[in-house]
């Protein structure tokens, strides 16, 4: 049983035995993410003071301007996991292709791959709005000791062994699951330790918050339009409240605590939506389901979608179970 104010390190050790792949490697992986998050948090928190704002001048494979902090966060997470000889491969939103990491110890071959969005919502950085890091962990499927392959990354979300996010907000939190519930740890920046502040997090079955960019309303499918109008109706427990931060991690985190639904549907402008399946939707779906929530593309469970490309996008609806099921009902009825 986890105790409040337990440190993340104590929690990992106490729960390591409950993880079916007990080898300590996953614990070391979570620890490396914890360390990188502290380093990135330090930079995010002083972004306004140091010339680290603004685009790095390049654009990533998504065609999005790379903010310097995007590049910095990407480098820090990759370097931290590489230096600690924990994973055999990394895929990142900021990298066109996956990165192969050869073990430094021929007697120990690594078996995990990590997929990461190093700084999601980065367009919020220079307006001082919270941003986040999202990560997803799989066991490789190709032979241990051989170079990692694309198929090690193109696995269904149901195969994830761990997933989580760091939210750089009014406080910095690490929220993750290894398939045995969701726990949230808050960083005490004064001493650099994370403390278990949100044990066993759960989505309320229902909620009163809907999160969607209504600026795209006219481009949405009819089912989504009908669901948004349903949310706005004066009837029963509605109208709901619209809250959209423009940072998936922040909207998801608030909805998990208060109850709510987040939607990034497909549209006539984006035929598969905007969010990436492998390092945004799958990890958030794993967390949602572990917290009694739900995540689909409007018709199919996100974690059942068979990946075909590293940076593929999917429509994403995620949050309180009853709200997601109501949105799915509107999508089905509009077919
Ligand atoms: P839009 C950030 O770029 C992101 O990937 C999510 O964090 C966020 O919810 C969404 O895109 C915002 O996109 O098109 O509404 O600005």
């Amino acid at each position: 049983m986890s105790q409040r104010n337990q440190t993340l390190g104590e929690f990992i050790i106490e729960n390591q035995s409950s993880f079916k792949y007990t080898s300590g490697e996953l614990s070391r992986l979570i620890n490396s993410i914890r360390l990188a998050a502290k380093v990135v948090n330090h930079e995010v928190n002083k972004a306004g003071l140091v010339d680290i704002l603004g685009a790095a001048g390049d654009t990533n494979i998504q065609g999005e301007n790379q903010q310097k902090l995007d590049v910095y966060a990407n480098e820090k997470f990759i370097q931290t996991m590489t230096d600690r000889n924990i994973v055999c491969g990394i895929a990142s939103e900021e990298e066109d292709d996956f990165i192969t990491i050869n073990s430094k110890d021929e007697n120990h071959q690594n078996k995990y791959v990590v997929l990461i969005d190093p700084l999601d919502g980065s367009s919020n950085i220079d307006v001082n709005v919270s941003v986040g890091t999202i990560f997803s962990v799989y066991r490789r499927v190709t032979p241990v000791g051989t170079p990692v392959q694309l198929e090690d990354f193109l696995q269904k979300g149901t195969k994830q062994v761990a997933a989580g996010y760091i939210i750089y907000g009014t406080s910095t939190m690490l929220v993750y699951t290894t398939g045995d519930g969701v726990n949230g740890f808050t960083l005490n920046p004064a001493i650099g330790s994370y403390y278990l502040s949100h044990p066993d997090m759960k989505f309320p079955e229902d909620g009163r918050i809907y999160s969607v960019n209504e600026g795209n309303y006219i481009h949405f499918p009819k089912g989504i339009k009908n669901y948004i109008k349903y949310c706005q109706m004066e009837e029963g427990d509605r109208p709901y409240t619209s809250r959209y931060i423009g940072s998936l991690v922040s909207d998801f985190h608030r909805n998990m605590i208060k109850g709510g639904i987040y939607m990034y549907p497909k549209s006539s402008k984006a035929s598969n939506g905007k969010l990436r399946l492998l390092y945004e939707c799958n990890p958030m779906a794993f967390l949602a389901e572990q917290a009694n929530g739900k995540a689909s593309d409007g018709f199919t469970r996100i974690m059942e979608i068979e990946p075909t490309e590293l940076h593929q996008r999917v429509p994403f609806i995620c949050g309180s179970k009853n709200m997601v099921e109501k949105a799915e009902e509107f999508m089905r009825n509009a077919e």
Side-chain angles (χ1 to χ4, degrees):
M1 179 63 189
S2 52
Q3 294 91 29
R4 272 195 181 280
N5 294 330
Q6 194 175 28
T7 67
L8 175 56
E10 290 165 338
F11 180 89
I12 288 172
I13 291 166
E14 181 183 287
N15 292 278
Q16 180 167 290
S17 56
S18 68
F19 181 59
K20 58 186 172 188
Y21 299 114
T22 302
S23 69
E25 211 169 301
L26 185 68
S27 301
R28 285 173 49 230
L29 175 49
I30 301 290
N31 271 316
S32 69
I33 289 171
R34 160 176 85 164
L35 174 63
K38 274 196 270 192
V39 174
V40 170
N41 174 63
H42 180 67
E43 291 305 320
V44 167
N45 282 344
K46 68 177 188 181
L49 303 173
V50 177
D51 176 25
I52 199 162
L53 283 176
D58 299 334
T59 57
N60 62 20
I61 192 167
Q62 328 296 340
E64 294 164 343
N65 282 335
Q66 281 193 292
Q67 303 273 354
K68 284 181 182 175
L69 262 178
D70 275 349
V71 177
Y72 178 84
N74 186 50
E75 287 167 2
K76 280 300 159 201
F77 278 100
I78 292 172
Q79 175 197 347
T80 305
M81 286 186 276
T82 303
D83 292 353
R84 278 157 185 74
N85 195 33
I86 302 170
V87 296
C88 56
I90 299 174
S92 168
E93 182 194 52
E94 302 302 335
E95 301 288 338
D96 296 353
D97 202 352
F98 63 84
I99 298 167
T100 300
I101 297 173
N102 299 310
S103 175
K104 296 181 171 68
D105 170 3
E106 67 272 5
N107 298 317
H108 175 84
Q109 298 297 335
N110 298 317
K111 53 180 175 291
Y112 292 116
V113 296
V114 174
L115 299 97
I116 190 164
D117 182 355
L119 208 61
D120 180 71
S122 55
S123 56
N124 286 321
I125 293 167
D126 49 5
V127 293
N128 207 9
V129 170
S130 55
V131 292
T133 296
I134 307 171
F135 63 90
S136 172
V137 183
Y138 291 85
R139 288 167 69 81
R140 68 179 298 174
V141 293
T142 55
V144 172
T146 63
V148 72
Q149 304 294 325
L150 180 60
E151 66 188 285
D152 292 310
F153 298 93
L154 298 187
Q155 299 186 55
K156 276 186 179 181
T158 49
K159 297 291 188 186
Q160 290 175 99
V161 294
Y165 58 81
I166 296 98
I167 179 169
Y168 310 99
T170 46
S171 62
T172 295
M173 282 190 68
L174 169 60
V175 178
Y176 79 97
T177 182
T178 56
D180 187 23
V182 177
N183 291 284
F185 299 81
T186 300
L187 177 66
N188 177 342
I191 53 175
S193 293
Y194 292 86
Y195 288 89
L196 179 62
S197 53
H198 297 67
D200 197 21
M201 299 181 81
K202 297 290 183 210
F203 267 99
E205 264 204 339
D206 254 317
R208 295 180 47 75
I209 297 171
Y210 71 100
S211 306
V212 64
N213 184 340
E214 295 190 55
N216 297 325
Y217 179 84
I218 59 169
H219 303 292
F220 286 153
K222 185 159 177 43
I224 293 289
K225 288 180 179 175
N226 293 344
Y227 178 66
I228 291 173
K229 286 305 165 204
Y230 167 83
C231 293
Q232 295 168 341
M233 279 168 64
E234 291 271 359
E235 185 184 274
D237 60 355
R238 302 185 310 287
Y240 293 154
T241 294
S242 173
R243 286 283 184 275
Y244 190 69
I245 298 173
S247 170
L248 167 61
V249 169
S250 307
D251 282 316
F252 180 99
H253 188 76
R254 181 207 53 244
N255 291 348
M256 180 158 62
I257 291 170
K258 297 194 169 200
I261 185 171
Y262 172 95
M263 299 180 283
Y264 208 102
K266 71 177 184 179
S267 71
S268 49
K269 292 193 303 182
S271 58
N272 289 313
K274 174 182 182 184
L275 301 186
R276 278 67 58 152
L277 172 62
L278 292 180
Y279 42 78
E280 289 177 328
C281 300
N282 268 335
M284 301 312 266
F286 190 17
L287 289 162
E289 293 195 5
Q290 285 290 310
N292 291 348
K294 195 167 182 183
S296 80
D297 64 1
F299 301 96
T300 305
R301 181 186 178 205
I302 286 291
M303 294 209 288
E304 285 295 348
I305 295 175
E306 195 69 55
T308 53
E309 292 167 31
L310 210 47
H311 300 287
Q312 79 182 77
R313 300 173 193 266
V314 291
F316 189 57
I317 297 176
C318 177
S320 293
K321 188 169 178 296
N322 293 352
M323 298 181 84
V324 172
E325 289 177 352
K326 177 59 81 172
E328 289 171 336
E329 180 188 324
F330 276 94
M331 293 291 284
R332 278 194 305 276
N333 295 341
E335 281 294 285

